[in-house]
């Protein structure tokens, strides 16, 4: 499955330095995360149990609890990895941009490409992260601030003008709302996404 492989690449890219620093050669944590994505996508957060995650990753309860406290901890880890990777991609593309249109266009392209390739799990996480009582809420806020700062810095570099951070936050809020709308209510075919 192409989506699973893409998720594996993202998770490995973000986790590799962390695992190397810990001297961790085990892929059990990675496998739990990768398989949890499919389980959460299919069942949703509320209907998913730790047992579902154990069965999908084919790991023991002991192994699971070596890395995670509960299913929310797993979802939080997935969200952090995806956010870190997306902010990194924003930074790289924004730094390559030479015009305002390229900075904004690249940001929009990355955001929607990321969301629609990973679809259901990102929809679930975005919806969960919007709830103030969720463990994902602080990570969402941090991601928005990081992305807004990248956009602000790169727009300043390109235009010589420093816009207020709130302008870039508004762009990101609009992207999130549009993404959730499309993932929830619309056919996600190529022509629709291009439009």
């Amino acid at each position: 499955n192409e989506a699973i492989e893409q998720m594996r690449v993202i998770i490995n890219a973000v986790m590799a330095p962390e695992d190397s620093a810990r001297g961790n050669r085990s892929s059990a944590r990675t496998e739990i995360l990768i398989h949890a994505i499919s389980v959460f996508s299919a069942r949703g957060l509320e209907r998913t149990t730790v047992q579902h995650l154990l069965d999908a990753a084919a790991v023991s309860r002991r192994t699971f609890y070596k890395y995670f406290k509960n299913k929310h901890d797993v979802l939080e880890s997935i969200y952090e990895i995806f956010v870190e990777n997306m902010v990194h991609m924003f930074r790289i593309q924004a730094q390559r941009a030479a015009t305002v249109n390229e900075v904004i266009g690249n940001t929009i392209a990355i955001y929607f490409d990321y969301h629609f390739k990973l679809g259901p799990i990102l929809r679930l996480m975005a919806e969960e992260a919007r709830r103030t009582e969720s463990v994902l809420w602080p990570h969402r806020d941090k991601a928005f601030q990081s992305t807004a700062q990248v956009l602000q810095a790169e727009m300043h570099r390109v235009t010589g003008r420093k816009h207020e951070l709130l302008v870039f936050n508004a762009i990101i809020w609009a992207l999130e709302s549009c993404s959730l709308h499309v993932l929830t209510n619309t056919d996600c075919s190529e022509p629709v996404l291009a439009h």
Side-chain angles (χ1 to χ4, degrees):
N1 186 327
E2 186 180 328
I4 294 288
E5 283 311 307
Q6 181 154 5
M7 291 179 233
R8 186 180 301 278
V9 168
I10 292 167
I11 289 170
N12 284 331
V14 173
M15 286 182 52
E18 179 184 319
D19 286 345
S20 296
R22 290 182 184 160
N24 184 1
R25 294 191 186 119
S26 171
S27 64
R29 183 169 188 255
T30 300
E31 291 305 309
I32 293 167
L33 292 169
I34 289 166
H35 292 287
I37 292 167
S38 299
V39 175
F40 284 131
S41 296
R43 300 185 63 81
L45 180 59
E46 294 308 313
R47 289 187 16 233
T48 296
T49 66
V50 169
Q51 189 61 52
H52 292 125
L53 301 177
L54 297 175
D55 293 344
V59 297
S60 68
R61 192 167 289 276
R62 182 177 179 188
T63 298
F64 178 88
Y65 285 113
K66 177 180 176 182
Y67 298 106
F68 303 103
K69 294 179 277 197
N70 52 41
K71 68 180 182 180
H72 295 280
D73 193 25
V74 175
L75 188 65
E76 184 177 9
S77 294
I78 294 167
Y79 189 76
E80 285 181 281
I81 289 167
F82 282 10
V83 163
E84 184 178 330
N85 186 63
M86 191 164 61
V87 171
H88 176 71
M89 290 178 358
F90 284 150
R91 186 172 286 114
I92 289 170
Q93 288 304 316
Q95 290 170 347
R96 292 179 182 162
T99 67
V100 170
N101 284 347
E102 287 178 0
V103 172
I104 299 298
N106 290 347
T107 299
I108 291 169
I110 290 168
Y111 192 88
F112 283 110
D113 185 55
Y114 203 74
H115 278 72
F116 296 122
K117 280 187 177 171
L118 301 173
I121 187 65
L122 280 174
R123 177 180 154 210
L124 180 142
M125 290 188 300
E127 288 171 346
E128 178 66 18
R130 290 170 74 140
R131 295 183 324 103
T132 56
E133 65 276 8
S134 170
V135 295
L136 303 185
W137 172 265
H139 301 293
R140 174 182 178 256
D141 187 54
K142 181 181 173 186
F144 277 27
Q145 293 310 312
S146 297
T147 305
Q149 289 167 357
V150 167
L151 290 172
Q152 183 185 48
E154 295 310 314
M155 289 296 272
H156 181 255
R157 176 184 59 81
V158 170
T159 66
R161 294 176 51 206
K162 189 164 184 175
H163 299 287
E164 191 174 327
L165 204 56
L166 187 58
V167 170
F168 302 104
N169 275 319
I171 291 169
I172 298 160
W173 293 329
L175 287 173
E176 179 188 58
S177 292
C178 187
S179 171
L180 284 173
H181 173 75
V182 172
L183 285 170
T184 305
N185 302 313
T186 308
D187 164 30
C188 289
S189 64
E190 284 297 321
V192 170
L193 299 183
H195 178 70

